[in-house]
Amino acid sequence: RFFSSSSRPPILPLGVQQFLQRRAIEAVGAVMVLAGLFYFLSLLSYNPQDPSLNSAGASAPTNVMGALGAYLADSVMQSVGFGGLVAAFMLVAWGGRIMAKQPVTRVWLRTMAGLGAILLLSYGLAIFPAPSDWPLRVGWGGVSGLIMTRGFGELLSTELGWLLGVSQGLSL
């Protein structure tokens, strides 16, 4: 029992314990939704000129989520590009389910599927050339997408790779 021991009666009545437990679970869901929104807004306001792990600068970050958002966005954009948006959608979806009192089942399987979706979407985005004014040399799929296009480019056609990336990314 919550807040109880075998030698003493519980501090709080059972109804209050259950109420607090439900609110704590809802709070976890709300934190997940907020984390997903933070992550999403960080990626959307990415600016490669912001100070980050690989870019020093005396100027204040322009990322709407501040310095933490700038560091997060740069790390994600360099590694998996816009494929990283899958993680933001997963956090919001799982947090919403938890807040709606619907359990997230098979978390391990969903996590692995999400990682696969991130990589496939990175691959699909890396197939297309980035515009000439795109600030990153690695393109829209990040380093992961660039590596996969060089390695898988001979195995899969452009259309098949794009369809796999988009369909897997949107399936979550």
Side-chain angles (χ1 to χ4, degrees), residues 89-111:
F89 296 134
M90 286 175 58
L91 280 169
V92 170
W94 289 7
R97 284 184 64 96
I98 290 170
M99 289 173 55
K101 298 172 187 62
Q102 297 175 351
V104 178
T105 58
R106 296 174 269 169
V107 174
W108 181 252
L109 179 64
R110 290 175 188 255
T111 302

Side-chain angles (χ1 to χ4, degrees), residues 48-129:
Q49 305 306 319
D50 283 346
S52 64
L53 295 174
N54 65 355
S55 173
S59 63
T62 60
N63 192 297
V64 296
M65 299 282 103
L68 181 60
Y71 278 85
L72 174 67
D74 187 61
S75 298
V76 171
M77 293 302 287
Q78 293 283 346
S79 59
V80 293
F82 284 110
L85 288 171
V86 171
F89 296 134
M90 286 175 58
L91 280 169
V92 170
W94 289 7
R97 284 184 64 96
I98 290 170
M99 289 173 55
K101 298 172 187 62
Q102 297 175 351
V104 178
T105 58
R106 296 174 269 169
V107 174
W108 181 252
L109 179 64
R110 290 175 188 255
T111 302
M112 292 295 107
L115 290 174
I118 289 169
L119 291 175
L120 284 172
L121 189 56
S122 294
Y123 172 65
L125 291 170
I127 289 172
F128 297 102

Side-chain angles (χ1 to χ4, degrees), residues 1-4 9-18 20:
R1 284 169 142 222
F2 194 71
F3 292 119
S4 68
I11 295 173
L12 299 172
L14 182 60
V16 174
Q17 291 176 22
Q18 292 171 341
L20 291 174

